Each structure stands twice: as structure tokens, then as C-alpha cells.
Amino acid sequence: MRKDVRILLVGEPKVGKTSLIMSLVSEEFPDEVPLRAEEITIPADVTPERVPTHIVDYSEAEQSEEQLYQEISKANVICIVYSVNNKKSIEKVTSHWIPLINDRTDKDSRVPLILVGNKSDLVEHSSMETILPIMNQYQDIETCVECSAKNLKNISELFYYAQKAVLHPTGPLYCPEEKELKPSCIKALTRIFKVSDLDNDGILNDNELNFFQRTCFNTPLAPQALEDVKNVVRRNMNDGVKDNGLTLKGFLFLHTLFIQRGRHETTWTVLRRFGYDDDLELTQEYLFPIIKIPPDCTTELNHNAYLFLQSVFDKHDKDRDCALSPEEVKDLFKVFPYMPWGPDVNNTVCTNDQGWITYQGYLSQWTLTTYLDVQRSLEYLGYLGYSIIYEQESQAAAITVTRNKRIDLQKKQTQRSVFRCNVLGAKGSGKSGFLQAFLGRNLQRQRRIREDHKSFYAISTTYVYGQEKYLLLHEVMPDFDFLSEADLACDVVCLVYDVNNPHSFEYAAKVYKQYFIDSKTPCVFIAAKSDLHEVRQHYSLTPHDFCRKHKLHPPQPFTCNTSDAPGKEIYTRLTTMAMYPHARLCCICACNRCTFCLCQNLLKLELLRNIKAQLRRAVLNRHMAQADLKNSTFWLRASVGATVFAVLGFAVYRALVKQR
């Protein structure tokens, strides 16, 4: 809503423009009226809409035409004043003032007009019969008011209507000729209905209506009031109420009724609560709330955001198969002005056998968007109404900004849930196959992917020591001469080469030596297509010798040419390397940079710690009980000796019998 309102009064001389302003301010008719009143500002706390209001007078005797044009361009609403006892001043409304104003304003942003019939105290008849045809002829005219500056009749109402014409204009909402809502208004109210329909059954039940009422007007409706509203709809249309709930048609009818009865501020209150501006577009402030992201920090969805997205998924998964069909995806995004997900999304996240995005894939795509482009994620959450449904100040409340990565390295622990792995390698080395295998697709399924539907990203979940984490794989295009900061910024690096191509390893080795040899980012070489015959690489060192020289893990064999879904062990290891980049030596075998060994043996380490703790407790208990055992030591030793002697004797006896 506007922060202030500027009202301009124009009209023929002697119609009472200045008298109206002075009567409003002093609450009495002035004895002496100047040619023109100075600009007056009414504070926000004394106006009905709590908005500062500036009232500007125009005097033909004191001001030039150029000054008039400037005031018209600055005005938010213009009151054309005429005298009800002067027919010439009424004729000038259409012959002079309305054409003049229209010539000085853009057709797409016309200023609302209010016709003001002053000096009603001088006549016994009304001028409405003359004015109504004018109102019907010009759509810019919001309303007409008859008043008297002398008797103070309708003075406050005049300026209230003027303020209302700016803050709650009828023009964007309603077409008086057709007597129906305008398409842009129907579109906005339809989105509001779908956001408020929490169970997506096409009707607003009593709970949803009460939530809507409380959200927009800060007060619930009494049960009888709810019934009264539905009864009004029932009396006027057949399909406005269904199963004792309000349908979309009934919802739109109610707002049409509000506007026709002069209560369009009700509709505007609803529209503005759901983020719309005066042009019925979602505001930039609503879609893109300010969020500060320091360097070396990432963005993730928090727990409440995932709960909200889960409820949105459940709302549209009508067949309860834990996947969204193309029709269900289309229905989900009806509250968007465009389709945000293209066909590449189905090759970025997990899908079922039919190629439909699964529940896990749906959350993964939201996680990916938030990590790569948090502003886009905020925009999407705005369309879905996150801040309204969860009663937050903005959808920025759904975002967690992680702490600086350097702090994680210093403390040797992280609270992050999303880790990025950049996948580099020569063309044809198997990078795309490595990404798609992460989504459970073997080579046979990958061959069915259309070229124009391919994705350079893949994201899914892995489990590291029982914790669910997201691993984001990004395939970097093979351009050795130029790798941007985005290509290098990640938590772990995969350098892929084709074991069947003798020139493939050279590219990966050069990239490592050029960009990562002095980096703290963990790196691992992937020996892709390991189901094929391994040939000798045309490089000065073999891949194993290269890794040994640079104290890296040995190349990890990988293939997606399997009958079932490829294994995920390598991706779990990559996530672990990203989480614990400081873990370079394994405490079991003390091998160099053996993060893989650490991954496999951490549970063993924990087991050893438990055994050591138990031994300590046993020794402590032995010392505590030593005094009580002194008396029984002799008999204990005798018993043990007798037992051992008996066992040995029986073993000798068996041996002798066997020899015989």
C-alpha cells in the first residue's frame, strides 16, 4: 500500500475548492476565503487508513497552466469540484477538466477521479441525475459526492473517498460495464484460493475459511457468521457451495459482491496480505526478501521449510504413490506465473520407473535450487505462500545460512547438510554416466535420456554414520584453459578418466596439477568404465603411481554398465570426504590420506574405544574387590588347576585311543 496520498482539487473559479479544504481543517466555514489554500498535510494517526495525506488546492488566478500540469502529474487522485447550482461548472467537467487531465496522464496509469458537487445547501434538488451519465461514460471516475462547505456536510467523507480511491481503487478489480471481476483480479484471487485450500480438494472448509479470515483480518469468524456467508452464496448461485464448503466460484462471487457494495477495501486487504501491489502483481519485496549471505557460506532449507514442502507434496500427490505425475506437477505449479521445472529436472533427481519425480527427488530439487540460487528459491516459496501458511514475516525464515567453511575446518566439524562435488574430466570420460548412476540409473536407462533433456547436475541423499546428507554432483565442462571460481569452489573434487582411452588420464592429471595440487579440497580419481579392458595411459606416470606420488587415494574403479542400479558406496565416501576434509590419516593402518579406510574403519575404531573403556572398568573393579578375594585365592587356583589337569588328561586319553 502507498506510503502517502496526494489529493488535488481542481474546478472552475468560485465553486468552493478552497472553502472545502479550510472547512475540513478548521471544522467551520471560513468568514474570509483566500484565492488559494496552502498545501496541507494530514498526519497518518488522524486518517482512517493510517496514511499521511497531502491536500493541494489549485487557483487559476494565482497559478499558471504549467504549474497545473505539474500538480496533475504529482497527484494520486484528483477531485473535480463543481457547484450544484451552476450548470456551466457541471458542463466544464466533461468539456474541459476530464480531457485536460487525460491528456496529461498516461493511458495505462490514469489517475482516479472524484466528482464533487459543492454548495448543496443552496439547492433542494440533487445533481445526481446529471452526473450519473458522466460517471458511466468515464471509467476513471471512482465516485461522486455532494457536499456543502458551509454546512460541513460530507466534508470528511469527501476526503475519505479520495483517500480510498488511491489506496483501494476499483479500476484494477472490477469492470462496471460487464459487472464482473477483471481477468487479472480473477487470476490473483484464484491463486489465493489455491494457497488457502490446504488439502487441495477444491473447496474451503470451515477450518480453511477460518485460517484465511485470521490470516487476512486477524480475527476468526463465528460459526453463525460462516453459515451466513455460505447462505448468501447459496442464494445467488448453485455451485458456490459444495459439501458445506466454499468453491472457487463462490469465493470469486463473494469478492464481486464486496466490490459492488462499495467494500472493495476488503478485497484489497486480502490481495495485499498475499503479496500483491496496486497493479495486481506480486511485489518484489514479497518475492525477494532481503537475506544476507557472507562469503564462504552456503544456503540450505531449514526444518520448517522441509515440513512445508512435504505438506505441499502430500497436497498434490492425489494417488498417494509417493511420486508426482506430470498432471500433478502441473497442478502444483498452477500458483506460479510460469512453469519453473523443465524436463532436465527429471534427470537431476531420483524418479520412479515411469520417470516421475519421487518424494525424495522433489525435496532434492528444492535443496539444489536453494543451494545454487537462493533468490529463486525464495521466489518459489513466495508463490506457494510459505510466509502466509507458516505465519512468518517472509520466506527468508525458511533459509539457513551456514557458517563460514574456514570455521568448519578449524573446528573439524560441520553442521551443513548439503555438500558439493565438482566432477571434472575429458570429453567422453564418463562424467555424465557417473552423475546418472548416483540417481540409480544404469547404462541401459541412461541411453534413453534425450540429449536436450540432459542435466549437468545430480543430487540425492547419502548416509554418513547414520546422518542423512545431500550430495550435489556438478559436471564441469572440459575446458582446461579456463576454469571459473564456480568450477573450483566445492567440498570435494572428482577427476574422472576412461580406463579404455589411453589419452583420458592426461587431462585429469593436468587439471589436478594446475588447480588442486595445493588446494585443501579433497580430491579423488575415478577410473570410469572399469568393466572395459584397461589400457596403458599415455602419461609419464601410471594413475596408481601418480596418486601415490601426490599422496592421494588410489583410483577408484567405477562402472554404470550393470544389470541393476549401480552401487552408491563411492558417493557415500565422497560425502564423507566432504564432511571430514581434515581426515588424512587412518588410525588403524596409518596409510597416507586414507579417508576411504577411515570411512570403513570408523565403526571399528568406535568398537576399540568401547573395548578399552570396558577393560578400564574391569581393572578398576578388580582393585576394588581385591581385598574380598584374598581368602579365596588358594581355592580358586586349586580349582583352575584341577580343571586344566582334567582337560589335558582327557585330551591325552583321546589321542592314545586314536593311535590304537
Side-chain angles (χ1 to χ4, degrees):
M1 197 160 64
R2 291 182 182 274
K3 295 181 179 179
D4 60 357
V5 174
R6 190 175 183 85
I7 303 172
L8 173 65
L9 274 69
V10 298
E12 294 300 296
K14 305 297 183 179
V15 294
K17 303 184 296 294
T18 307
S19 299
L20 289 170
I21 297 173
M22 297 186 73
S23 294
L24 173 72
V25 175
S26 62
E27 296 185 350
E28 61 180 5
F29 186 70
D31 295 330
E32 295 183 6
V33 180
L35 290 175
R36 175 175 173 265
E38 295 296 324
E39 180 178 325
I40 293 170
T41 299
I42 303 176
D45 55 355
V46 297
T47 61
E49 298 292 342
R50 301 293 178 185
V51 176
T53 302
H54 311 281
I55 302 175
V56 181
D57 190 11
Y58 166 71
S59 172
E60 185 178 315
E62 288 197 351
Q63 293 174 285
S64 65
E65 285 190 353
E66 187 60 35
Q67 289 175 311
L68 172 61
Y69 299 153
Q70 290 177 2
E71 290 297 345
I72 289 174
S73 65
K74 292 190 290 184
N76 302 129
V77 57
I78 299 176
C79 297
I80 304 176
V81 184
Y82 64 91
S83 177
V84 294
N85 65 341
N86 185 339
K87 289 186 178 180
K88 186 178 179 181
S89 68
I90 298 176
E91 292 172 359
K92 283 283 189 177
V93 170
T94 54
S95 64
H96 175 68
W97 289 108
I98 293 179
L100 173 69
I101 294 167
N102 287 342
D103 288 343
R104 294 292 162 178
T105 55
D106 294 332
K107 187 176 180 180
D108 297 331
S109 58
R110 289 280 170 84
V111 179
L113 305 177
I114 293 180
L115 301 185
V116 181
N118 192 22
K119 303 185 180 181
S120 64
D121 58 292
L122 298 179
V123 296
E124 296 181 357
H125 63 275
S126 173
S127 63
M128 284 301 173
E129 290 185 5
T130 308
I131 295 300
L132 282 175
I134 300 175
M135 291 182 65
N136 293 331
Q137 182 181 354
Y138 296 96
Q139 295 183 16
D140 301 330
I141 299 175
E142 284 284 323
T143 189
C144 176
V145 183
E146 286 192 346
C147 57
S148 170
K150 186 173 183 179
N151 295 343
L152 306 182
K153 177 185 174 183
N154 289 339
I155 302 297
S156 298
E157 287 79 359
L158 158 64
F159 292 101
Y160 169 70
Y161 288 134
Q163 192 183 57
K164 187 176 175 181
V166 177
L167 302 178
H168 310 299
T170 309
L173 306 181
Y174 185 73
C175 180
E177 290 82 7
E178 302 294 334
K179 295 183 179 180
E180 60 183 25
L181 299 174
K182 288 188 174 180
S184 57
C185 182
I186 292 174
K187 182 181 177 182
L189 290 174
T190 300
R191 171 184 166 264
I192 292 170
F193 179 90
K194 288 188 68 66
V195 169
S196 303
D197 183 13
L198 301 178
D199 55 9
N200 200 33
D201 62 351
I203 62 172
L204 297 182
N205 58 39
D206 287 356
N207 289 334
E208 291 165 341
L209 281 170
N210 255 321
F211 180 80
F212 171 81
Q213 177 75 12
R214 192 173 66 252
T215 298
C216 296
F217 306 103
N218 296 319
T219 178
L221 281 173
Q224 187 56 49
L226 277 174
E227 285 303 314
D228 291 343
V229 168
K230 287 183 277 190
N231 286 334
V232 169
V233 177
R234 286 191 186 101
R235 285 195 298 269
N236 287 275
M237 60 192 316
N238 295 326
D239 51 356
V241 178
K242 179 183 177 183
D243 297 333
N244 202 36
L246 201 64
T247 65
L248 175 59
K249 287 185 177 180
F251 184 74
L252 295 175
F253 167 77
L254 276 179
H255 285 282
T256 305
L257 197 62
F258 291 146
I259 295 167
Q260 289 174 343
R261 293 183 177 180
R263 291 174 53 197
H264 36 282
E265 66 270 16
T266 302
T267 301
W268 275 114
T269 300
V270 171
L271 289 166
R272 288 184 175 125
R273 177 66 184 90
F274 278 79
Y276 290 93
D277 62 13
D278 291 348
D279 299 319
L280 298 185
E281 298 288 342
L282 290 170
T283 66
Q284 294 295 298
E285 292 80 9
Y286 173 78
L287 290 177
F288 305 104
I290 296 174
I291 181 170
K292 294 182 180 179
I293 307 169
D296 288 333
C297 298
T298 59
T299 47
E300 301 177 1
L301 295 167
N302 60 30
H303 179 65
N304 282 340
Y306 280 116
L307 288 178
F308 171 75
L309 292 172
Q310 179 182 346
S311 69
V312 172
F313 182 93
D314 293 339
K315 175 178 174 179
H316 293 89
D317 183 21
K318 294 182 179 178
D319 53 9
R320 297 291 181 263
D321 62 347
C322 290
L324 294 176
S325 67
E327 292 76 19
E328 289 170 340
V329 170
K330 187 177 179 181
D331 184 50
L332 190 154
F333 290 125
K334 277 184 178 177
V335 295
F336 285 57
Y338 56 88
M339 175 58 72
W341 290 359
D344 60 313
V345 172
N346 294 60
N347 299 312
T348 304
V349 299
C350 293
T351 58
N352 62 11
D353 294 337
Q354 295 169 284
W356 298 352
I357 297 173
T358 62
Y359 170 70
Q360 185 58 58
Y362 163 84
L363 293 182
S364 297
Q365 178 62 25
W366 277 99
T367 304
L368 171 74
T369 305
T370 305
Y371 186 92
L372 295 179
D373 189 353
V374 69
Q375 291 297 323
R376 184 64 57 88
S377 186
L378 291 171
E379 178 190 0
Y380 292 173
L381 288 169
Y383 292 136
L384 291 173
Y386 171 82
S387 61
I388 295 159
I389 301 301
Y390 268 54
E391 302 180 66
Q392 300 288 339
E393 185 176 345
S394 74
Q395 51 267 29
I399 306 300
T400 294
V401 179
T402 64
R403 69 184 179 188
N404 192 296
K405 190 176 177 181
R406 286 194 293 268
I407 298 176
D408 284 349
L409 291 172
Q410 291 170 3
K411 294 183 176 295
K412 298 185 178 181
Q413 61 180 357
T414 181
Q415 300 298 321
R416 293 163 59 201
S417 298
V418 186
F419 299 91
R420 177 169 177 163
C421 172
N422 283 353
V423 182
L424 299 96
K427 186 176 181 180
S429 60
K431 301 186 298 296
S432 298
F434 186 72
L435 265 68
Q436 291 300 312
F438 184 35
L439 306 177
R441 295 167 188 154
N442 58 19
L443 187 61
Q444 185 178 0
R445 284 189 64 184
Q446 293 179 29
R447 285 171 176 163
R448 297 199 291 265
I449 300 174
R450 287 174 49 175
E451 190 67 30
D452 56 338
H453 291 177
K454 286 186 176 180
S455 173
F456 293 107
Y457 292 95
I459 183 171
S460 188
T461 55
T462 61
Y463 286 87
V464 178
Y465 313 135
Q467 300 179 61
E468 185 183 60
K469 302 293 181 182
Y470 282 94
L471 179 64
L472 165 59
L473 301 180
H474 175 214
E475 178 183 346
V476 179
M477 296 302 292
D479 186 358
F480 177 75
D481 295 330
F482 176 75
L483 290 178
S484 66
E485 289 186 11
D487 297 331
L488 303 175
C490 58
D491 301 300
V492 61
V493 175
C494 263
L495 297 159
V496 182
Y497 70 96
D498 179 359
V499 299
N500 193 241
N501 182 346
H503 304 285
S504 186
F505 180 76
E506 181 181 12
Y507 175 88
K510 285 184 177 180
V511 168
Y512 174 79
K513 292 175 70 176
Q514 176 73 24
Y515 295 103
F516 299 107
I517 191 169
D518 296 321
S519 170
K520 293 181 179 180
T521 305
C523 298
V524 62
F525 281 82
I526 302 295
K529 307 180 185 180
S530 60
D531 57 302
L532 301 178
H533 174 66
E534 185 172 0
V535 299
R536 189 178 183 279
Q537 296 292 323
H538 292 176
Y539 191 71
S540 57
L541 296 173
T542 66
H544 281 78
D545 290 341
F546 182 90
C547 292
R548 189 180 301 111
K549 177 182 177 182
H550 295 285
K551 298 181 179 180
L552 298 171
H553 328 99
Q556 300 299 301
F558 175 81
T559 180
C560 55
N561 189 12
T562 57
S563 56
D564 298 323
K568 285 196 172 186
E569 295 81 4
I570 182 64
Y571 305 105
T572 302
R573 293 173 179 176
L574 289 171
T575 311
T576 309
M577 293 172 68
M579 287 179 66
Y580 303 105
H582 55 277
R584 291 290 184 256
L585 297 177
C586 174
C587 298
I588 297 294
C589 61
C591 60
N592 287 325
R593 296 195 174 213
C594 197
T595 307
F596 286 1
C597 192
L598 175 68
C599 299
Q600 296 168 354
N601 291 305
L602 190 66
L603 293 178
K604 296 179 183 178
L605 288 172
E606 192 64 31
L607 180 61
L608 286 175
R609 293 192 192 99
N610 291 337
I611 292 172
K612 289 178 180 178
Q614 291 176 11
L615 286 173
R616 289 193 207 97
R617 286 195 293 269
V619 170
L620 181 62
N621 292 337
R622 180 168 174 262
H623 285 300
M624 292 175 64
Q626 192 169 14
D628 296 331
L629 291 175
K630 282 183 178 179
N631 295 331
S632 57
T633 301
F634 172 79
W635 296 109
L636 179 61
R637 290 176 180 173
S639 299
V640 171
T643 303
V644 172
F645 181 81
V647 171
L648 289 174
F650 181 76
V652 172
Y653 170 76
R654 289 291 301 272
L656 291 173
V657 170
K658 192 174 182 180
Q659 286 179 0
R660 289 180 182 178

